[in-house]
Amino acid sequence: MSILFDNVTARYPNAPQDALRNVSFALPSSSFALLVGHNGAGKSTLVRLMNGMIRPKAGVIAVNGLSTDGIPTSRLAAEVAVTFQNPADQLFAPTVRDEVAFGPRNLRLPGIDDHVSDALALCGLTSVADRHPYDLSLAERKLLTIASAVAMQTPVLAFDEPNAGLSQPERRRLHTIFSTLKARGRMLLVISHDLGQFLSLTDRIIALDGGSLVYDGTPSGVSDAEKILRRTGVRFPFSERVVQLLEK
Amino acid sequence: MIATKLAFVLFCWTAAFALPTAVQVVFMHAAFVLGRFLPLFRPSSAQARRLYVRFLLYAGLLSAVVVILNALFVRNGEVLLDLGIVQFSREGVEFGLRVSVRLVLMSTAVLVFFLSTPLRDLAAFLDSSGAPAVLTSVLLLSLEFLERLPQRIEQIFTAQEARGAPVRAGFAGRFRSLFSILGPLIVSSIVESVERSHALALRGFPAPPEHRIRIRLPLTIPAWSLIAGVVAMVGWKLWESFR
Amino acid sequence: MPTFRERLRLEMSGPAIPLMAFGVAINLTVGQVTSALKIPVYLDSIGTVLVAVLCGPWAAALTGSLANILASSFGSPAMMFFIPVVIAIGLWTAFIARHGWFRSLPLVVVGGALQGIIAALLSAPISAYVFGGTMLSGTDFLVIFFRSLGNDVFWSALYQGLTSDPIDKVVTYIIVFLTVRRLPQRILTRFPGSRSLLNPQ
Amino acid sequence: MIACRSLHVAYGTGQPDVLCGLSFTVPSGSICALLGPTGAGKSTLLHALSGTLGMFHHAAQCSGSVTVNEETFMPVPRRVLFPAVGMLMQEPHLQFSGMAETVEGELKWTLDNLGIIGDAAQKQISVALDRFGCSTLRARTLRSLSGGELHRIAFASVLVARPSVLLLDEPVASLDQNARAQVARLLDSLRGDATILFTDSDPDLAMRLADRIIVLDSGTLRLDGSRKTFLDTVDAFGDILTVTTWPRVRERFAASGLSSLTARRLRRSLGQT
């Protein structure tokens, strides 16, 4: 199993209640899971638990069979690459290529140049490889943060709202990136409300509400669980909604 | 009101250099008393009061250390106390006392001013008394960014550590990751400054001079008397040095 | 030749005002980074240096002074006394940046070291005669060490400054240099101080 | 009213044209949507119209002309056209001056730059706050406001200067469902008062609200027409716009085999979204 959560509870220091309460699920490799829930439902807590940024109050988390207990984040980064929403929080290298090479250099991966070129090609950034990251548009900078995670060759990749602020051409590229990664056997966990964009890729939907797991199933089960999912703010693709309405 | 407090700080700073130590001790206690009881000077928030108490401890400790250090290391002059291996000289003690009293008087005056004057009121005072728009806008924007940057730094740490930055490794690793943390902070500040200059210009900032109609605030009597005191002290000091 | 007022107005226009405010905020919060990374440097003039390189001398002097004033309002009034030092940092950095020293790493390192010496020369009398040689901070041990060798308070404070300030300033200069040198033209040209950065190495 | 005549813009000599000879007119009081993918030149056009391009980008190479409120600039305005033109930035932290702590302080800051102070300012602030239904928030600090409230105050702080032209840079880009509905209501309430031009990469808001729709792709106009013409030809833009509406519904409707369909039910379902 690429990711295993076994009855995990987590609480931030001096927080009134648990951010996550006995959550259990397992996600296999070469799969794509969509993590949904309103702000504060515990989505980012779950992601931070995966790479050891936060330590659980109770329960066990295993990434690629390796328990995260006691392992520093910089070591877990070889198993789980996490990409956050705001590119400005991580871009600092003088060129796009150096930026993508930052992760692999920290992990001391062999054959860094190949990984970097492969990641740049996958994300369509080869033509701008030697430009400064801030020469790129915001959408391209988001793809750059994805490329720098891909280059780390980690079995598990987590993305926080990867398609926020992207327009149609970039969304299509994001779709090819994710389907290629999935085909390569990676496990992808994506936080997003946009079911429509990722529907064809999604194997599992995990819905959180108030820190507890309210739905863990395949997308086809979505229509009967609509009331639960609607509470978590999932934005159904327009055409799905109309079709469901017509079929009722 | 704020003008009076500014005049008070100026008065104390001049006294710290112009007047003999004994007189300075009197003003020092005056500054403490004002800070405690006069509503104008009372700390403006619980947090400010805590800072005031913490400062008093710091000032006391610092004065003691200064006096002892100088007493120890100033060799010449009459020896007040001889503990065999360590001697305390009179001149050292006097120098220590003079320095620490001046330090505490000047610091207390500054602290009493700031702890009783919220910075946004200070900015409003500067603005209404015709200070250049650059000064007040940079001060106000600094307060805004001071609130936002600590959280930004947290996010940058999280993002870079998630990419394997050795922030908790040995000294070499931590030193190397210093740039991977400060880099995004500085670059994003530069880029945001450019974006903000657009946003501010689109809402008419900086306003043309004719739009900055300002009324001059009349200085109150206490402010005038303090300034008169400053002039008197400077005059006395100059007269004394020429004699 | 533009008058002093015009040069001042140009130096503090457009993106300079937000950058100065960022400079002040970075000066006061960079300690959070160096303490989290447990690295014994203050880097508390990094904002001043950044503004000096991108905007100009007086913008940098204002950034440094305002940072010290805000620091004293947050409970360490001692910072008020070091305003002359931060003004010197701003003026010196802008001076060498204007002469293209921020275009190559060796010049930046030398500039940083010289800045450290200037800062030490200026802060020595202040810490000696205003603070009696001690600041109740890490650097006190150096002062006590030098005094035990028989130096008086001024020379001890100076020696302490000469050992710790240059390192702090060189690291500060290098970080600003690495961040600024390859910025895209469309961003750099928006800042008054960028002319000296733009001509090729 | 906003108009361009064969407007060319490049970010420096020898650089490729970001805008390649645009000509269009947005009649006064109408709501116009400027649609197109990232890099189509949407924000460059907004910069050109608002005056920030001419004011800040000295190296930019422009030709043609821009007309704002009957005043024509060749090629682009050299300074910001405040207060005639107001612009709402996309990023939330740029929508506020950063120099005011309270709602009233933020609106007063805009008027202060206009030299309007005292009672005149207070009255104008009350009008603006009432207009967006947030007079009760007047004394509140900005930090204490919710996302929706902040958004309404951002609108109010631009419209307090009573601009006759309002430009909005991707106003609904990263908003959730009910925040998007609120923006639609706010824009709708301004119809007729100001000439409104907003950019978006998703046609959803434009199809519900815009009198005119302009589609921009790599700096050239692919459509400049009414909402109806856009709806009829929307299939043609599938490559550059996130088209989630008509064609996909028609295709799914055909696939699901349901024949009779009451128009009212479908319109209600469209209206709901």
Side-chain angles (χ1 to χ4, degrees), chain D residues 12-258:
Chain D
T13 46
Q15 301 276 342
D17 264 3
V18 177
L19 297 180
C20 323
L22 294 192
S23 297
F24 65 86
T25 307
V26 178
S28 307
S30 68
I31 297 182
C32 172
L34 180 61
L35 302 181
T38 320
K42 303 198 298 286
S43 45
T44 304
L45 182 56
L46 283 190
H47 275 311
L49 295 172
S50 69
T52 46
L53 183 71
M55 181 173 172
F56 287 109
H57 289 262
H58 311 301
Q61 302 296 311
C62 313
S63 67
S65 79
V66 164
T67 308
V68 178
N69 293 342
E70 286 78 37
E71 195 181 351
T72 300
F73 302 89
M74 307 273 282
V76 285
R78 277 281 161 237
R79 54 169 182 70
V80 167
L81 304 175
F82 175 84
V85 175
M87 181 153 150
L88 197 71
M89 312 292 280
Q90 178 185 358
E91 299 87 351
H93 63 273
L94 294 179
Q95 290 170 350
F96 298 94
S97 63
M99 300 188 202
E101 223 182 357
T102 64
V103 167
E104 180 180 66
E106 186 65 40
L107 273 69
K108 204 165 93 55
W109 184 82
T110 309
L111 296 177
D112 205 41
N113 295 332
L114 270 171
I116 302 173
I117 54 174
D119 298 343
Q122 292 304 326
K123 210 160 56 56
Q124 210 163 323
I125 290 173
S126 312
V127 166
L129 287 177
D130 295 343
R131 178 61 182 283
F132 292 96
C134 30
S135 3
T136 55
L137 306 175
R138 189 178 190 124
R140 292 269 299 278
T141 62
L142 294 173
R143 258 198 310 281
S144 68
L145 298 181
S146 72
E149 287 165 341
L150 272 174
H151 211 73
R152 289 210 303 270
I153 296 302
F155 265 82
S157 59
V158 171
L159 285 142
V160 72
R162 298 203 181 104
S164 53
V165 169
L166 176 62
L167 306 173
L168 301 102
D169 187 5
E170 307 251 355
V172 286
S174 46
L175 297 185
D176 60 36
Q177 208 47 35
N178 34 38
R180 298 168 79 95
Q182 172 183 284
V183 169
R185 279 195 305 276
L186 289 175
L187 289 181
D188 202 35
S189 68
L190 295 170
R191 194 193 299 271
D193 288 359
T195 310
I196 296 172
L197 174 66
F198 70 89
T199 62
D200 206 336
S201 52
D202 180 321
D204 183 50
L205 183 67
M207 291 187 350
R208 275 192 273 158
L209 201 65
D211 307 319
R212 298 187 58 74
I213 292 180
I214 297 175
V215 178
L216 204 59
D217 185 12
S218 319
T220 50
L221 281 186
R222 272 182 63 176
L223 175 87
D224 172 9
S226 70
R227 177 166 33 153
K228 199 182 164 323
T229 33
F230 177 76
L231 282 176
D232 299 342
T233 61
V234 76
D235 297 358
F237 302 112
D239 57 336
I240 56 165
L241 295 177
T242 334
V243 180
T244 56
T245 46
W246 282 108
R248 299 276 290 282
V249 170
R250 260 210 309 276
E251 155 211 318
R252 279 304 174 92
F253 166 66
S256 68
L258 280 170

Side-chain angles (χ1 to χ4, degrees), chain B residues 35-95:
Chain B
R36 216 68 207 94
F37 301 108
L38 204 63
L40 187 66
F41 285 89
R42 191 169 302 121
S44 62
S45 68
Q47 204 247 351
R49 204 168 299 115
R50 266 200 315 282
L51 283 178
Y52 186 70
V53 169
R54 204 189 65 183
F55 167 73
L56 293 184
L57 295 175
Y58 166 81
L61 185 63
L62 187 67
S63 316
V65 167
V66 165
V67 171
I68 294 161
L69 259 182
N70 287 293
L72 263 172
F73 287 114
V74 178
R75 289 282 180 285
N76 42 38
E78 180 205 350
V79 173
L80 279 178
L81 183 64
D82 188 346
L83 299 173
I85 48 155
V86 163
Q87 294 83 23
F88 284 78
S89 71
R90 163 184 295 283
E91 202 199 316
V93 170
E94 268 165 20
F95 175 78

Side-chain angles (χ1 to χ4, degrees), chain C residues 85 89 92 109-123 158 160-170 173:
Chain C
V85 180
I89 291 173
W92 163 260
V109 171
V110 169
L114 290 176
Q115 172 63 78
I117 293 161
I118 293 170
L121 281 174
L122 280 173
S123 37
L158 179 61
Q160 173 265 321
L162 289 177
T163 40
S164 53
D165 276 347
I167 306 161
D168 183 73
K169 295 297 178 290
V170 168
Y173 271 45

Side-chain angles (χ1 to χ4, degrees), chain B residues 15 18 25 32 40 42-43 50 54 64 88 101 133 168 171 183 201 227:
Chain B
V25 172
F32 284 143
L40 187 66
R42 191 169 302 121
R50 266 200 315 282
R54 204 189 65 183
F88 284 78
V101 164
R168 293 192 174 80
F171 179 80
I227 289 169

